[in-house]
Amino acid sequence: MAAGLRVAIVHEWLLTHGGSEEITGQLCRLYPQADLFTLIADPVPSLRELIGDRRVITSFLQRIPTAKRSHRRLLPLMPRAIESLDVSGYDLVISVSHAVAKGVRTAPGQPHLSIVCSPMRYAWDLQEQYLVESGLSSGLKGFLARRLLARMRAWDARTASRPTEIIAISQFIAERIRRVWGRDSTVVYPPVDTGFFTPSATVVREADLYVTASRMVPYKRMPLIVEAFAAMPTRRLVVIGEGPDLARAQAVGAPNVTFLGRVGREGMRDWFRRAAAFVFAAEEDFGIVPVEAMACGTPVIGYGRGGVRETVPDGDCGVLFESQTVEGIRDAVMRFEADASMRGADAACRAQAERFSEAEFLAGVERVVAGMRG
């Protein structure tokens, strides 16, 4: 890190603590004197701890009374809001983008590195899913929503040239960036806290116990995992997480499935250490939770598309399935149990997870920044 470098870090909104916020927190560690720019800020305590006591500059959206609790409804205003942030006085701008942050305006010749979690999903690949989940798939509201997303898509494509360099969080996202923006990017995998998620020398794994953990939103396919284990009554499944799909998952009525809701980081780690394997059925841009499980020495049974294909070596640290169906998950569990090497894969899983550590992420960012500055 260059001494005296004036750095602006730009993030869409600072409200909850998720994967993109974890990236932003690591950048705050790398550049402790950086100023933080965002559209709306009302960080939960864990996020406040992550970003530290630093200057946070917000956009005009912060003054809208309902912004903090219903920020997604302000999507039409977000391009103008991100462009209103003044980052012209900084030597380096780093945006962390999954919606509009990469569109921040910079001065001619001002270095701008954008760490892209994904091009705007609801304007591109996941538009129809977004409309269905929002109740906007038909009628006049559906027509207007599609027009809005078309405008957002055009803005997203138009502003793709603004970053000087782009980091993609996986090869999966690098390909999406190439397809929708026509730009190349450097892959630097996001940080996983391998210092916290560790194996245990004292906890004994339970051969019939499986665990899954996620936000309960449709694309995570949590009810599907529950249905698969309902069809395997001799195995137990622990489900960690909350969200709109929780009721659907509980409605399956599987007596061998236990729902725990939120359990915190310590609880997650404890369950990872006890479980025979972690089960994951989503197509993710990267997928931090499966890597956290591997960091605890736990193999992963995962859907073999998206970032999981890059993080979980099939047959070494887990089993990948190609069909998001009950049969696909059930067959993967059977293959996992039939492979005796999986019962002693703790060290291999741990070694694989360490490839995605916080230190590896920071080193990757520093290499790209050094290349930008010559």
Side-chain angles (χ1 to χ4, degrees), residues 168-178 185-189 285-286 306-307 310:
I169 64 166
S170 64
Q171 296 290 349
F172 181 65
I173 292 302
E175 177 54 36
R176 185 180 291 170
I177 289 169
R178 190 176 301 113
S185 56
T186 301
V187 174
V188 177
Y189 291 108
D285 301 329
F286 173 72
E310 300 172 46

Side-chain angles (χ1 to χ4, degrees), residues 216 222-224 226-227 230 239 241-255 257-261:
M216 296 278 200
M222 296 291 272
L224 177 66
V226 175
E227 289 173 16
V239 179
E242 297 177 339
D245 260 10
L246 176 58
R248 281 187 57 211
Q250 291 174 324
V252 174
V257 177
T258 302
F259 294 89
L260 298 183

Side-chain angles (χ1 to χ4, degrees), residues 8-343:
I9 300 171
V10 184
H11 191 278
E12 270 98 10
W13 46 80
L14 294 170
L15 301 169
T16 59
H17 186 172
S20 64
E21 289 80 14
E22 191 67 34
I23 290 173
T24 298
Q26 293 299 317
L27 293 174
C28 290
R29 282 182 53 197
L30 185 60
Y31 300 104
Q33 303 305 316
D35 289 331
L36 191 48
F37 289 78
T38 189
L39 301 180
I40 307 161
D42 187 22
V44 296
S46 63
L47 178 55
R48 169 54 64 188
E49 182 179 352
L50 191 66
I51 64 178
D53 184 17
R54 67 185 59 246
R55 187 182 180 209
V56 178
I57 301 95
T58 57
S59 75
F60 63 82
L61 297 183
Q62 184 79 8
R63 298 193 293 273
I64 297 176
T66 60
K68 296 174 184 178
R69 63 177 181 271
S70 56
H71 62 283
R72 296 185 187 279
R73 295 184 180 179
L74 302 177
L75 182 63
L77 300 177
M78 288 183 183
R80 188 158 65 91
I82 204 72
E83 292 177 342
S84 74
L85 297 175
D86 182 8
V87 296
S88 59
Y90 295 85
D91 302 313
L92 173 65
V93 177
I94 305 179
S95 61
V96 180
S97 188
H98 57 77
V100 298
K102 69 98 173 66
V104 66
R105 290 189 182 277
T106 52
Q110 185 180 25
H112 173 194
L113 169 63
S114 189
I115 301 176
V116 177
C117 301
S118 176
M120 195 184 305
R121 298 178 187 89
Y122 22 84
W124 298 97
D125 301 64
L126 300 183
Q127 174 178 300
E128 289 307 312
Q129 179 178 310
Y130 171 78
L131 291 171
V132 170
E133 292 174 10
S134 304
L136 299 172
S137 59
S138 61
L140 178 60
K141 288 184 178 180
F143 171 76
L144 295 174
R146 283 185 168 83
R147 289 195 62 180
L148 165 64
L149 292 177
R151 289 199 300 272
M152 295 295 292
R153 189 160 56 247
W155 178 88
D156 192 49
R158 187 171 64 251
T159 57
S161 62
R162 289 182 180 175
T164 312
E165 296 286 344
I166 296 175
I167 283 176
I169 64 166
S170 64
Q171 296 290 349
F172 181 65
I173 292 302
E175 177 54 36
R176 185 180 291 170
I177 289 169
R178 190 176 301 113
R179 174 164 47 84
V180 303
W181 291 346
R183 291 203 58 177
D184 292 330
S185 56
T186 301
V187 174
V188 177
Y189 291 108
V192 177
D193 191 352
T194 55
F196 178 83
F197 290 97
T198 58
S200 171
T202 58
V203 176
V204 177
R205 294 196 183 277
E206 301 173 38
D208 67 336
L209 175 65
Y210 294 82
V211 64
T212 186
S214 178
R215 288 181 298 116
M216 296 278 200
V217 293
Y219 87 93
K220 299 286 190 177
R221 309 302 295 271
M222 296 291 272
L224 177 66
I225 298 175
V226 175
E227 289 173 16
F229 276 83
M232 297 183 287
T234 60
R235 294 149 180 98
R236 294 177 293 144
L237 176 70
V238 167
V239 179
I240 298 170
E242 297 177 339
D245 260 10
L246 176 58
R248 281 187 57 211
Q250 291 174 324
V252 174
N256 59 327
V257 177
T258 302
F259 294 89
L260 298 183
R262 294 184 183 181
V263 300
R265 278 160 54 88
E266 291 80 4
M268 289 264 285
R269 183 176 61 184
D270 290 345
W271 284 107
F272 289 159
R273 290 170 172 177
R274 288 176 56 184
F278 176 77
V279 185
F280 194 72
E283 180 180 325
E284 280 283 16
D285 301 329
F286 173 72
I288 284 180
V289 181
V291 183
E292 291 174 341
M294 287 193 298
C296 294
T298 307
V300 173
I301 298 172
Y303 180 45
R305 293 193 61 185
V308 169
R309 181 172 288 278
E310 300 172 46
T311 59
V312 181
D314 191 14
D316 293 329
C317 299
V319 172
L320 302 183
F321 55 92
E322 298 300 323
S323 173
Q324 281 178 310
T325 61
V326 166
E327 293 75 17
I329 296 173
R330 189 172 57 189
D331 290 349
V333 171
M334 300 298 182
R335 284 189 285 126
F336 169 79
E337 293 180 347
D339 187 346
S341 67
M342 289 294 171
R343 288 189 285 276

